[in-house]
Amino acid sequence: MIELKSPAEIQRMHVTGRFVAEVLSEVGRIADVGVNLLNLERHVRGMIERRGAESCYWDYAPSFGRGPFRNVICLSVNDAVLHGLPHDYTLRDGDVLSADIAVSIDGWVADSARTVVVGTAAEEDLRIIRATEEALEAAIEVARPGNRVGDISAAIWAVARDYGYPVNDEFGGHGIGRTMHEAPHVSNRGRAGRGLTLRPGLTLALEPWFARTTDRIVYDADGWTIRSADGSRTAHSEHTVAITEDAPLVLTRREPENPAMRADSARADGTLSSG
């Protein structure tokens, strides 16, 4: 069932989206060499509690997971790309970290993800991150009334092809609103002109994710963390977007960041260090 939201309801989702954007900006600032994933998760948990928000991941138990998810954020490193279960791992120089979070405030949900490089960045890692970001912007651009879900999928796929990255279509975007996952499914690979017609009031989480050299995935023993099947590095970008009469409205857009603040912020918070 597709639920169209009123302008007032979209504004309530925007409140949640601004907070989600704030959390991911904070993750980008404090993810640094020497930071443990468990401490990073606890830091985000504290932000959610102080805001009076509710994690959509805590106790999340879909058919593909192993038991309920007992964390508030997905943290995926290097060849891991989706549903990364936070664990006792200390970030190293050159690691690629994808962070994905969904929360609810006053009954309305927003969902977003970003990928950053910790410490020294390799050009090939920056390239795949850039590809997912460009694919996301291309998807947002066509998220307009009268277009179809297939136009979004085709826009993502076109960017991936231009970069030479294969695309997995098992996991993709989705409707969102009162719950984290609503209809419709939005594949990251598809044909223009196909699928549901986009209408004002439809709210979608759009999330291109790519691996460098494969479209196949494998699961860790934890039953949650999804990795590229060949161990190649990955990236993931996601925004919650509302279809309006005019331009698409990105509900989780982050403010421009100063990269120089990242290391200073991480060092200032001693609770994030593994040692």
Side-chain angles (χ1 to χ4, degrees):
M1 180 178 176
I2 307 294
E3 181 187 7
L4 300 179
K5 284 75 175 178
S6 69
E9 290 170 335
I10 288 172
Q11 285 306 311
R12 292 176 71 182
M13 289 181 66
H14 205 170
V15 171
T16 310
R18 291 190 188 101
F19 173 69
V20 166
E22 178 186 333
V23 172
L24 286 181
S25 291
E26 177 76 351
V27 169
R29 284 192 293 269
I30 64 182
D32 197 15
V33 176
V35 171
N36 190 285
L37 295 185
L38 293 178
N39 290 337
L40 184 54
E41 194 273 347
R42 280 192 287 268
H43 187 79
V44 172
R45 192 181 304 192
M47 293 183 71
I48 292 172
E49 290 174 353
R50 288 190 295 274
R51 179 58 178 80
E54 208 174 298
S55 169
C56 295
Y57 292 161
W58 192 266
D59 277 344
Y60 179 50
S63 59
F64 56 80
R66 180 174 296 171
F69 196 86
R70 288 297 177 91
N71 292 274
V72 301
I73 189 169
C74 296
L75 298 172
S76 307
V77 180
N78 295 334
D79 59 326
V81 64
L82 296 174
H83 310 150
L85 191 68
H87 59 286
D88 186 12
Y89 177 84
T90 299
L91 292 170
R92 304 168 184 170
D93 189 46
D95 276 347
V96 175
L97 174 67
S98 294
D100 187 358
I101 186 167
V103 304
S104 174
I105 296 177
D106 296 329
W108 293 97
V109 177
D111 188 1
S112 188
R114 68 178 303 194
T115 301
V116 298
V117 178
V118 176
T120 309
E123 177 52 40
E124 56 266 33
D125 294 331
L126 295 176
R127 184 176 188 270
I128 194 169
I129 293 170
R130 187 163 60 245
T132 63
E133 291 172 345
E134 290 181 11
L136 179 55
E137 292 303 323
I140 292 168
E141 177 57 33
V142 298
R144 299 173 182 271
N147 287 345
R148 293 178 177 268
V149 167
D151 296 318
I152 294 173
S153 303
I156 293 170
W157 196 15
V159 173
R161 288 199 306 267
D162 286 347
Y163 273 88
Y165 297 130
V167 177
N168 175 285
D169 59 5
E170 295 172 68
F171 291 92
H174 49 88
I176 188 170
R178 298 180 190 271
T179 63
M180 178 169 57
H181 287 129
E182 299 180 353
H185 172 71
V186 185
S187 175
N188 288 329
R189 184 172 64 189
R191 295 179 61 182
R194 301 289 183 89
L196 179 77
T197 300
L198 306 179
R199 297 169 57 192
L202 182 63
T203 47
L204 302 170
L206 306 179
E207 50 179 318
W209 62 272
F210 308 143
R212 281 190 205 160
T213 55
T214 185
D215 61 0
R216 296 187 303 111
I217 56 174
V218 293
Y219 287 80
D220 276 5
D222 63 30
W224 283 101
T225 305
I226 295 177
R227 299 182 183 273
S228 62
D230 63 358
S232 59
R233 288 196 166 187
T234 62
H236 178 203
S237 295
E238 178 182 17
H239 275 310
T240 296
V241 180
I243 313 299
T244 75
E245 295 283 0
D246 302 311
L249 178 61
V250 181
L251 306 181
T252 50
R253 182 77 75 188
R254 296 183 301 277
E255 295 294 327
E257 297 170 5
N258 178 2
M261 293 174 62
R262 288 181 55 193
D264 290 342
S265 180
R267 283 191 291 268
D269 190 340
T271 64
L272 293 171
S273 173
S274 63

